Amino acid sequence: MVLRRALQVIMVMTLALAGAVQGTAHAEEGAPVTGRQLLFYNHAYGVLDRETADAIEHSSYLREFAHFQVRTTTGSGGQTWTGRYLMGRETYLELFGVGDLPGKDGTLGAAGLGVSTERAGDLPTVTERLRELGISDPVAFRQTRDFGDGVPVPWFDAVFTTDQYDVFGAWGMEYRPEYFADPRSNTEPAAHPGDVGRERYLPDTYRDRLMRDVTGVRLAVTARDLAGTVPLLKAGGFAVRSLPGGGVVAKGGGTTLRFDVVPLDQVGLRQVEMSLNRPVPYRHEERIGHSSLVVGPGAHAVWTFGDQDGPSPAG
């Protein structure tokens, strides 16, 4: 799901589908948080040009490559969104076309990132860590899901560093026990007490496909949006390293996140790296709209999205 639409519903994602951010703290302010990692890459989303989004939606190759589906979701306040999903064992990717989301969240280059807990009760600890990092008023939000009967079910709790952002934002999230308890969620039994993990949330259909998980995401974002993202990553326990030019690389839990700082008209999802369930002996390139998915050789795939003109500075 894209959440930040929740941010729109926050204020709020999506799928949920899935950011926020007026920099209340500079990307390098605040001491690194120590202790075990609390937040892990859950999913990212990006808004692509219509030709590419349509090509993804109708790609026969993607249906063989991954557990792929096009789904419409109803969240808090009756807000709906339709995304194109590639789902792995613990992680997934959500893609939209221009206009699929309302307002600036539906503009070319808009994107979001959800990082989630694995243990019940860890999100409040993340919120406290945010305060230690200088985020005095983290924004809390509860997302719900309507399975079609008009009765919302609590889905997950979320926290943002702020409700102000350009076109990208990140949120921390923790799935609710009510969602796991609802048989319509088609989730798995808990593997241990307090299990609210990503593997429990996602189906095991990935086993029948080639894609296993998202292992890396590269995004081009504005300086303001990055400033609101870094404290959340630090609070979640990611190791964050600065790059020349103002960008950062964040690593943790088997996923590498890279953020390049660019002007507003150059923002967007740039690249996604994925692990495979098994190695392949060949290199296959699949052109999908203005994007290129290269699979193999080995147990690795890279999906690159071509440079496109993003939203105007006026938003």
Side-chain angles (χ1 to χ4, degrees), residues 17-223:
L17 203 36
V21 170
Q22 175 182 8
T24 53
H26 183 274
E28 291 302 316
E29 289 180 355
V33 174
T34 58
R36 67 182 175 88
Q37 187 166 347
L38 301 179
L39 295 175
F40 300 81
Y41 171 85
N42 184 287
H43 71 281
Y45 77 86
V47 178
L48 310 173
D49 66 275
R50 176 52 57 185
E51 180 181 346
T52 300
D54 289 347
I56 290 171
E57 182 169 341
H58 299 290
S59 170
S60 59
Y61 180 80
L62 288 178
R63 286 167 170 79
E64 299 174 359
F65 172 74
H67 175 193
F68 177 86
Q69 63 179 230
V70 179
R71 184 181 75 230
T72 298
T73 305
T74 301
S76 297
Q79 185 181 37
T80 64
W81 59 89
T82 299
R84 302 149 188 83
Y85 298 86
L86 282 79
M87 294 181 286
R89 180 177 182 270
E90 295 183 319
T91 60
Y92 67 97
L93 179 66
E94 184 177 26
L95 301 169
F96 299 92
V98 172
D100 283 348
L101 302 173
K104 65 182 180 181
D105 289 343
T107 58
L108 187 64
L113 171 70
V115 285
S116 64
T117 66
E118 294 282 290
R119 303 183 189 180
D122 277 353
L123 194 62
T125 303
V126 171
T127 302
E128 288 305 310
R129 287 184 176 184
L130 283 174
R131 293 191 174 97
E132 294 172 6
L133 290 170
I135 307 299
S136 58
D137 295 303
V139 180
F141 172 75
R142 176 167 293 178
Q143 178 67 293
T144 64
R145 183 171 180 179
D146 185 340
F147 286 101
D149 57 5
V151 181
V153 176
W155 190 356
F156 57 85
D157 292 328
V159 63
F160 303 88
T161 61
T162 173
D163 60 0
Q164 302 297 308
Y165 62 98
D166 290 327
V167 290
F168 170 83
W171 60 93
M173 54 188 286
E174 183 169 299
Y175 292 116
R176 295 289 307 174
E178 298 94 328
Y179 186 82
F180 285 117
D182 193 308
R184 296 172 299 176
S185 69
N186 294 317
T187 53
E188 301 173 9
H192 53 77
D195 179 11
V196 292
R198 300 162 296 165
E199 197 277 333
R200 183 185 179 192
Y201 173 78
L202 291 174
D204 287 336
T205 319
Y206 76 93
R207 294 174 177 173
D208 302 323
R209 303 292 190 273
L210 197 54
M211 173 188 161
R212 183 174 179 84
D213 266 318
V214 174
T215 58
V217 179
R218 184 170 184 173
L219 294 139
V221 301
T222 64

Side-chain angles (χ1 to χ4, degrees), residues 14 29 89 190 225 263 272 294:
T14 181
E29 289 180 355
R89 180 177 182 270
D225 285 350
V272 177
V294 176

